[in-house]
């Protein structure tokens, strides 16, 4: 297996965090990682934050700390809707959209949403549902385009933390473990039990 590179960018209110890794056989090797603070006043509006974030991303690209190849970025925690569902496996695909409508406070056509089955229990499936408003994602993609960075995907920061914990434990976490990620405007609580992931944004 040849080397495969992955780029991750976590876009926060006060700072940008980035990591570039390569897969070498069965190992993940960190090539570079770091934090770039934005120094935006707490009372600043979204336009000021975007200007600072764009400038920071351009600096990181110019310094060759972030490649311009396809990156996976995190959606803003405060705007990410996360639900942990337990649904009948037999009708999962057929009824998933209806179940999502019942769980989410906005019309589905205004959201980018996705699900992943994280475990099964008899005839039931444990499903993680994540949704972000389309206009929020559009703003993120425009921000990255302004900085000259291609985007391969948008991820939930809370789910990404759960994935890291799962990988560190070989795909299943026992006993149940929790990660608390405290941000400037919101906090992620991620709990992983076996292969099941439960998340809440505070």
């Amino acid at each position: 297996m040849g080397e495969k590179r992955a780029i991750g960018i976590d876009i926060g209110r006060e700072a940008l965090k980035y990591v570039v890794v390569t897969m070498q056989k069965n190992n993940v090797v960190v090539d570079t990682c770091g934090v770039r603070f934005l120094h935006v006043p707490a009372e600043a509006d979204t336009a000021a934050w975007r200007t600072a974030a764009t400038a920071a991303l351009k600096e990181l690209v110019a310094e060759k700390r972030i490649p311009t190849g396809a990156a996976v970025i995190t959606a803003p925690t405060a705007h990410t809707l996360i639900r942990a569902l337990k649904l009948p496996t037999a009708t999962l695909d057929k009824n998933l959209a209806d179940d999502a409508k019942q769980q989410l406070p906005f019309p589905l056509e205004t959201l980018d949403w996705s699900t992943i089955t994280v475990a099964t229990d008899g005839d039931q499936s444990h499903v993680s549902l994540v949704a972000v408003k389309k206009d929020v994602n559009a703003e993120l993609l425009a921000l990255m385009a302004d900085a000259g960075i291609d985007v391969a995907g948008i991820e939930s920061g809370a789910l990404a933390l759960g994935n890291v914990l799962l990988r560190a434990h070989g795909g299943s976490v026992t006993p149940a473990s929790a990660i608390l990620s405290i941000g400037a405007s919101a906090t992620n609580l991620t709990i992983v039990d076996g292969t099941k992931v439960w998340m809440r944004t505070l």
Side-chain angles (χ1 to χ4, degrees), residues 86-198:
K86 188 176 182 181
L87 304 169
T89 302
T91 58
L92 183 61
D93 293 336
K94 180 180 178 181
N95 297 334
L96 195 53
D98 289 336
D99 291 323
K101 285 180 183 178
Q102 296 177 24
Q103 294 292 329
L104 299 171
F106 304 107
L108 289 188
E109 58 269 20
T110 68
L111 301 170
D112 289 324
W113 63 281
S114 184
T115 61
I116 183 170
T117 300
V118 295
T120 56
D121 183 9
D123 60 354
Q124 300 287 303
S125 291
H126 294 269
V127 177
S128 292
L129 168 65
V130 182
V132 180
K133 280 193 169 183
K134 288 181 181 291
D135 58 349
V136 173
N137 277 346
E139 177 73 14
L140 278 176
L141 294 173
L143 171 66
M144 301 301 288
D146 287 347
I149 300 172
D150 295 330
V151 176
I154 300 177
E155 175 69 279
S156 155
L159 187 55
L161 289 173
N163 287 337
V164 170
L165 193 60
L166 281 166
R167 182 171 183 84
H169 287 77
S172 182
V173 179
T174 304
S177 300
I179 304 172
L180 187 65
S181 176
I182 302 174
S185 60
T187 293
N188 280 332
L189 174 63
T190 304
I191 298 174
V192 184
D193 182 8
T195 60
K196 294 179 287 186
V197 182
W198 182 90

Side-chain angles (χ1 to χ4, degrees), residues 10-17 38 49 53 74:
D10 180 30
I11 305 174
R13 175 69 185 181
E14 293 193 344
L16 302 175
K17 283 80 73 179
L38 302 181
W49 171 84
T74 58

